[in-house]
Every structure is written in C-alpha cells, then in structure tokens.
Amino acid sequence: MALHAKAKGETGYRFYALYDKIYRDDILAHAYACCRSNKGAPGVDGQDFADVEAYGVGRWLGELALALREETYRPEPIRRVFIPKPNGKLRPLGISTLRDRVCMTAAMLVLEPIFEADLPDEQYAYRSGRNAQQAVVEVKEQLYRGHPDVVDADLADYFGTIPHAELIKSVARRTVDRRVLHLITMWLECSVEETDKRGRKTRTTAAKDNRCGIPQGSPITPLT
C-alpha cells in the first residue's frame, strides 16, 4: 500500500530501489501461496508443488532468495502448449517452471501497486479486484444513462507482437532499478520449448531474436 500511495500521490515519481523487496521472505512466501492456489502444470523441469513440499518450501524459497540476492538467478525455458479456441484455432500458452512463476509473482506483488496507480477507472482488464463481469455491468449502466455507442475491438496476436524495447521503456517510466529491468528483460527473452507429436523437443529463441512477444499465461503478463 505504501508503494501505491507514493505512486498515486506523485505521478512523476520514479522508484530506484525495488529489487531487494522481491526476494524478501514474506514476499516470496506470499508469491508461493498465490502460485500454489492457482495450481498449474509443471514447466520444462517437471517439478510440481508436491516435489517442492517434499523438498521443503522454506528451504526451496531460501535458495531462490539467495539466487536473487546474489544475482545468479536465471529463468528456465518456457514450455509451450496449445489450447483450442472457440473458433477452432489454437492458442499458445507458455508454462514457466514453478521457480520462475514464484519469482515473477513476487515481482508482480512489488510492481503492480505502482502501475495500478496510473490506470484509469475505466480499465478492467488485468487488474486486481476487477473482472470482465464488472466491465459488462458498467457498460449496461452507461447504456441506461443514454450512452448508446459500444465499440468492440480486438488486437490480433497482441502478446506475440509486444516490442521489448518499448515495453521496458514504459516500465522504466516508474522504476529505474536496473536489476528489476534486467529481471523483466530475462523473462521476455526466455527460449521456448515445444514437444512434437513424436515426443521430440525443440527450443527456439524467437522472442529474443525478434525482440518482441511475451508468452501468454505468464504471471508477469498482466504487467504489459
């Protein structure tokens, strides 16, 4: 709440020291609990929540905190899966490892209050405490108030075309902590692993090579 209040009160303020908050014990523990409640499939390393709990959550989180503190943390490749869309096409989803998901969630817990302060009241997507149903209610209320025009639009392959440089520049409007920006850059440039019908695995670095695109389904995706 302190970060949100500061960001809300000073719209031009830029945060210089946020990285150390990401590996705080309470932040990482809360991030793990969030990921645990969302369940989700394992990433490329095959590690699931049962594995972590058998190993020891405290020990596992402590090792992650140490890697972040010493700046030796490096994300693993993203496992790509495809889910069917209503129109018959397939939507690609990126599944990060649990370790990376917890780290991304910790970053979101720190960064979200800052960027939330800049969002207009009319925005409902990817905001804590807001959902599509609330947006529909608001549209109905506006119709009753005499505003009959509704614009329905969709961006083709939005997540797949987000330019990295512009995204980092946008994030840097509020945080100039180089270590936070480096974390986000690493996540943006992660390689992607796919498994074909024969079980053969291939890895590509399209996001890094093309300098655009982020995986759908990542905890860090709402930040964009």
Side-chain angles (χ1 to χ4, degrees):
M1 292 302 293
L3 292 173
H4 178 80
K6 182 69 174 179
K8 195 71 173 177
E10 299 184 39
T11 57
Y13 186 83
R14 304 174 82 188
F15 294 81
Y16 288 83
L18 295 174
Y19 185 78
D20 61 330
K21 295 176 177 58
I22 294 174
Y23 59 76
R24 270 175 30 183
D25 291 345
D26 58 333
I27 295 291
L28 286 176
H30 186 46
Y32 180 83
C34 291
C35 292
R36 185 71 175 86
S37 66
N38 291 333
K39 299 180 180 179
V44 295
D45 61 357
Q47 187 179 60
D48 59 20
F49 291 104
D51 295 327
V52 174
E53 286 158 17
Y55 183 76
V57 175
R59 177 184 174 191
W60 188 84
L61 289 175
E63 291 172 358
L64 174 56
L66 181 62
L68 286 167
R69 186 164 55 251
E70 295 183 344
E71 298 183 44
T72 58
Y73 165 81
R74 296 294 182 273
E76 294 292 326
I78 296 166
R79 183 167 69 90
R80 175 167 289 168
V81 297
F82 295 88
I83 61 172
K85 298 170 64 175
N87 61 7
K89 296 182 179 180
L90 296 175
R91 181 189 303 278
L93 288 182
I95 302 177
S96 299
T97 63
L98 300 189
R99 184 171 182 262
D100 292 335
R101 296 209 298 266
V102 169
C103 192
M104 290 178 189
T105 302
M108 280 298 299
L109 290 171
V110 173
L111 294 173
E112 188 176 49
I114 297 171
F115 290 95
E116 171 70 23
D118 295 333
L119 298 178
D121 290 338
E122 297 81 8
Q123 183 172 337
Y124 284 83
Y126 299 110
R127 296 183 70 176
S128 178
R130 295 201 177 194
N131 55 46
Q133 289 73 27
Q134 292 172 324
V136 171
V137 171
E138 178 62 25
V139 169
K140 287 182 177 179
E141 290 181 358
Q142 292 295 334
L143 290 172
Y144 288 136
R145 292 172 188 166
H147 302 282
D149 297 326
V150 177
V151 177
D152 183 12
D154 189 20
L155 298 176
D157 192 25
Y158 169 70
F159 291 108
T161 57
I162 294 177
H164 293 173
E166 284 76 3
L167 175 58
I168 293 297
K169 183 178 179 181
S170 181
V171 174
R173 287 186 303 102
R174 277 302 205 170
T175 174
V176 289
D177 188 325
R178 64 169 185 82
R179 293 180 295 176
V180 172
L181 297 176
H182 179 60
L183 259 186
I184 296 173
T185 299
M186 286 196 295
W187 290 327
L188 292 175
E189 294 181 349
C190 273
S191 60
V192 173
E193 180 178 284
E194 293 186 28
T195 303
D196 63 20
K197 294 180 179 178
R198 296 183 178 181
R200 295 175 300 187
K201 296 179 179 180
T202 57
R203 292 184 178 178
T204 60
T205 56
K208 182 177 181 179
D209 297 340
N210 299 327
R211 298 179 182 177
C212 68
I214 65 171
Q216 294 188 53
S218 163
I220 205 69
T221 300
L223 183 64
T224 64

